[in-house]
């Protein structure tokens, strides 16, 4: 849809933090799904940007990578020229994290 509308960036999320998933399993699944989408996005010159999201209104559980440490682990596990970060300071604040510290940790990821 982003490509069809002429956009260059598409927000992606890490999914819900389901209680039955360990952090390691959630990181593996979230990174794997993003990695699967990256070749398609690259062919269309669309950069996938993950947001430090809080919770989608339609979800039962909060964002998997809502907390700064998990978010940074996920971001650090994906290295691709068409992947970056869509930083939202209000979501860091809502998650109980220091927005400035998170910005410093992810600012090099575009």
């Amino acid at each position: 849809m982003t490509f069809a509308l002429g956009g260059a960036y598409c927000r992606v999320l890490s999914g819900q933090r389901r209680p039955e998933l360990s952090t390691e399993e959630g990181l593996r699944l979230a990174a794997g799904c993003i990695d699967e989408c990256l070749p398609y996005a690259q062919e269309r010159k669309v950069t996938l940007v993950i947001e430090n999201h809080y919770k989608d209104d339609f979800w039962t559980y909060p964002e998997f990578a809502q907390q700064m440490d998990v978010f940074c682990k996920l971001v650090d596990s994906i290295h691709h020229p068409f992947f970056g970060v869509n930083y939202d300071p209000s979501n860091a604040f809502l998650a109980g994290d220091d927005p400035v510290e998170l910005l410093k940790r992810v600012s090099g990821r575009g």
Side-chain angles (χ1 to χ4, degrees):
M1 172 103 32
T2 301
F3 173 74
L5 294 173
Y9 298 93
C10 179
R11 183 182 77 160
V12 295
L13 302 174
S14 63
Q16 296 183 66
R17 186 177 21 168
R18 298 182 179 274
E20 67 272 12
L21 287 179
S22 68
T23 300
E24 294 75 26
E25 182 70 3
L27 285 167
R28 187 186 66 74
L29 290 170
C33 288
I34 293 168
D35 282 336
E36 286 284 323
C37 295
L38 282 165
Y40 185 87
Q42 182 175 5
E43 288 175 10
R44 289 152 184 81
K45 306 285 192 265
V46 172
T47 299
L48 303 182
V49 290
I50 189 161
E51 182 177 325
N52 58 314
H53 199 245
Y54 188 69
K55 181 181 181 287
D56 187 276
D57 291 339
F58 296 103
W59 289 358
T60 303
Y61 304 105
E63 183 77 19
F64 170 75
Q66 177 185 47
Q67 301 299 312
M68 178 172 30
D69 288 341
V70 176
F71 182 75
C72 289
K73 283 181 184 177
L74 178 57
V75 169
D76 290 345
S77 72
I78 302 170
H79 301 279
H80 194 281
F82 282 83
F83 177 75
V85 171
N86 180 45
Y87 170 75
D88 185 327
S90 66
N91 286 335
F93 179 78
L94 288 172
D97 292 323
D98 179 348
V100 175
E101 182 182 346
L102 179 57
L103 177 60
K104 288 177 184 177
R105 290 179 66 178
V106 301
S107 63
R109 295 303 299 266

